[in-house]
Amino acid sequence: MVKHAVEANFDGLVGPTHNYAGLSWGNVASKSNVNAVANPKEAALQGLAKMKQLADRGYVQGVLPPHERPHIPTLRALGFEGTERQILEAVASTDPSILAAVSSASAMWTANAATVSPSTDTADHRVHFTPANLSAKFHRAIEHRVTGRALKSIFTDESYFAHHPALPSVSHFGDEGAANHTRFCSRYGEPGVELFVYGQVAFNEQAPAPAKYPARQTLEASQAIARLHGLSDRHAVFAQQNPAAIDAGVFHNDVIAVGNGNCLFYHQLAFLDEDRVLAELRDRLIGAELEAIRVSSAEVPLGDAVASYLFNSQLLNTPDGMLLAVPGECREVASVSRYLDDLVKTGGPITAVEVFDVKQSMRNGGGPACLRLRVVLNHEELQAINRGVILNDALYDRLVSWVNAHYRNELSQQDLADPMLLDDVRKALDELTGILGLGSIYDFQR
Ligand code: SUG
């Protein structure tokens, strides 16, 4: 019997060290805002406001915690010695780029936290999680251990939830998680088809690949995740991202396509072999016809799609269709704003557009869809999770007060060496694990 299921969205709470370090070559916004002064408090409040707006509309909204940064254990592993204060002084004076990397609040982009397969798709009928190794970028490659701990402390019951370690952390198995993974289905509780999008084939140097920017995800990584999660061929489609799109700044598939239910909203330059992708999805989708909304370059040039993050929107079910939750920047780019006005008039599956202000995150190349990890859960699975992370009015109020008490209004690259920052972060995170009921997930708590 098909069970009723919902899509829960787990947003990353922006961390107290949110800053602009220009760490992500290939991510246009990250590079263009390097050294700008960030406002971590505003960033966290913007993220919480988005979560609250969606929770108020009745969506199940969860919270994933920020990570401990700067991460001293990583600095020790790199040979920095002495007290924590001495380590911070040394790395700031000799290797400020390393300090920036171990200080990034990048765990906020939880679309990269993991790949999640719902229980209706997997061989053992459990929900499967694999934290992404994020091996393409040093500052992100240090996320997966704590991400794994956080996921395990939320999805604890092994009779419902299966947790895999991240894939081997090398470029051959570069994995960026749900940002390159979209699930289609007729209803959430029905078996679905999972689309894995990769940037290059690691074990074939002749295969097409981008020339300018790195492809972060490999086919081999995507296949490994599908194997680990016990997905049969009927439940998986693999598609290569268009290398030209990666070279234009589309570093994850979720910068050029988004799907929900039976709907795929995508740019014509998203996939290397568009016709095959659509045919395979149509073939494997059970109980519904695929609704493919193709945006042409004539309607929205690729550069405008990247600048506005049109496709980094959340696509959510509503009682009478689907809501596209877009970043504010979409209203600042003429072609995109015009496109959105027309979109809701077409009579297609997307019936509403709502704007969300996540500007602080956008300056690092993270839109609304980057900030959330989707987890489809049936009623029993939803009951089984740690409910302390599910946003309600009381938790929202508590988190807003917590941010106001602990976060700074300004953070520059120079501030990262301030030993007080590390103390403040740990104090805040210790309190947060209590608020969310997560137990001891951070290295400093162990
Ligand atoms: O990995 N930016 C992130 C943005 C991730 C967006 N996620 C999705 N598309 N799902 C990245 O490039 C920039 C950090 C800096 O430059 O300070 C950064 O890591």
Side-chain angles (χ1 to χ4, degrees):
M1 201 192 72
V2 173
K3 292 184 180 160
H4 176 71
V6 295
E7 178 189 272
N9 280 274
F10 287 80
D11 277 46
L13 187 52
V14 177
T17 61
H18 162 64
N19 73 95
Y20 300 120
L23 299 172
S24 282
W25 171 240
N27 166 343
V28 181
S30 154
K31 280 291 167 194
S32 37
N33 291 303
V34 60
N35 291 335
V37 176
N39 184 334
K41 185 179 285 184
E42 184 177 58
L45 294 176
Q46 285 174 347
L48 279 165
K50 169 168 103 73
M51 295 184 226
K52 173 84 163 78
Q53 252 170 287
L54 293 173
D56 285 348
R57 280 174 167 266
Y59 297 107
V60 180
Q61 180 65 59
V63 182
L64 286 172
H67 291 192
E68 172 191 359
R69 297 287 183 267
H71 195 236
I72 299 290
T74 300
L75 293 173
R76 287 198 194 280
L78 295 175
F80 291 96
E81 289 178 338
T83 63
E84 292 184 333
R85 185 177 281 263
Q86 286 166 335
I87 287 176
L88 287 172
E89 265 170 29
V91 70
S93 63
T94 61
D95 294 284
S97 308
I98 295 181
L99 176 60
V102 302
S103 302
S104 177
S106 53
M108 71 169 96
W109 299 298
T110 53
N112 305 116
T115 306
V116 186
S117 295
S119 54
T120 42
D121 299 352
T122 61
D124 66 1
H125 301 298
R126 292 190 294 167
V127 185
H128 282 244
F129 298 83
T130 302
N133 62 28
L134 298 169
S135 66
K137 305 282 172 209
F138 170 57
H139 69 291
R140 305 221 58 186
I142 60 175
E143 292 175 25
H144 66 84
R145 277 194 191 81
V146 170
T147 297
R149 287 180 205 156
L151 291 173
K152 279 184 186 161
S153 74
I154 296 169
F155 304 95
T156 313
D157 189 336
E158 286 179 16
S159 56
Y160 294 111
F161 307 116
H163 295 272
H164 305 275
L167 298 180
S169 208
V170 287
S171 61
H172 286 78
F173 291 100
D175 172 27
E176 300 278 319
N180 291 329
H181 173 260
T182 311
R183 178 175 185 266
F184 300 91
C185 57
S186 57
R187 282 182 303 159
Y188 293 128
E190 302 274 358
V193 49
E194 302 188 18
L195 173 65
F196 291 84
V197 182
Y198 58 92
Q200 79 179 64
V201 185
F203 289 96
N204 178 1
E205 288 98 13
Q206 310 309 317
K212 184 176 173 196
Y213 291 141
R216 298 196 196 182
Q217 179 100 25
T218 66
L219 169 63
E220 291 82 351
S222 299
Q223 289 170 329
I225 302 280
R227 258 192 311 272
L228 286 163
H229 290 196
L231 302 180
S232 73
D233 290 350
R234 295 295 306 168
H235 290 296
V237 169
F238 300 92
Q240 180 157 2
Q241 219 183 327
N242 186 341
I246 296 180
D247 281 339
V250 181
F251 56 100
H252 289 135
N253 179 60
D254 70 3
V255 177
I256 198 160
V258 59
N260 175 54
N262 66 335
C263 178
L264 168 63
F265 178 56
Y266 72 108
H267 193 273
Q268 76 170 92
L269 296 174
F271 307 110
L272 190 58
D273 189 349
E274 179 188 355
D275 293 343
R276 187 189 60 81
V277 177
L278 295 182
E280 289 194 12
L281 289 176
R282 289 204 163 100
D283 175 54
R284 287 169 173 72
L285 183 59
I286 304 163
E289 283 293 312
L290 184 75
E291 295 251 24
I293 307 177
R294 178 186 201 257
V295 182
S296 69
S297 301
E299 291 167 302
V300 176
L302 184 56
D304 285 1
V306 174
S308 65
Y309 261 43
L310 167 62
F311 296 95
N312 201 258
S313 300
Q314 289 181 243
L315 190 53
L316 298 151
N317 284 348
T318 62
D320 51 9
M322 287 189 202
L323 164 74
L324 192 67
V326 304
E329 285 70 2
C330 285
R331 289 296 180 195
E332 292 163 16
V333 177
S335 65
V336 174
S337 190
R338 206 170 33 237
Y339 179 85
L340 288 173
D341 289 339
D342 291 344
L343 177 67
V344 287
K345 294 184 201 142
T346 57
I350 300 178
T351 46
V353 171
E354 193 167 316
V355 173
F356 289 80
D357 177 7
V358 288
K359 216 174 222 18
Q360 284 285 328
S361 165
M362 280 289 286
R363 290 195 191 121
N364 264 333
C370 297
L371 286 161
R372 60 92 174 94
L373 179 68
R374 299 191 272 190
V375 185
V376 168
L377 298 166
N378 66 33
H379 180 72
E380 287 158 28
E381 292 156 356
L382 186 59
Q383 293 309 311
I385 72 173
N386 163 1
R387 306 285 298 183
V389 296
I390 299 298
L391 199 77
N392 53 25
D393 288 349
L395 179 59
Y396 173 76
D397 290 343
R398 253 189 117 179
L399 291 174
V400 168
S401 311
W402 174 82
V403 168
N404 281 324
H406 294 289
Y407 281 50
R408 301 184 181 193
N409 287 309
E410 283 187 3
L411 201 68
S412 68
Q413 295 306 292
Q414 288 66 40
D415 296 326
L416 300 178
D418 175 3
M420 288 290 292
L421 179 66
L422 178 61
D423 289 348
D424 292 348
V425 168
R426 287 189 179 154
K427 200 162 157 244
L429 295 186
D430 209 32
E431 202 177 307
L432 181 69
T433 46
I435 295 173
L436 299 176
L438 291 175
S440 302
I441 58 167
Y442 298 114
D443 293 328
F444 75 91
Q445 293 174 318
R446 295 181 155 216

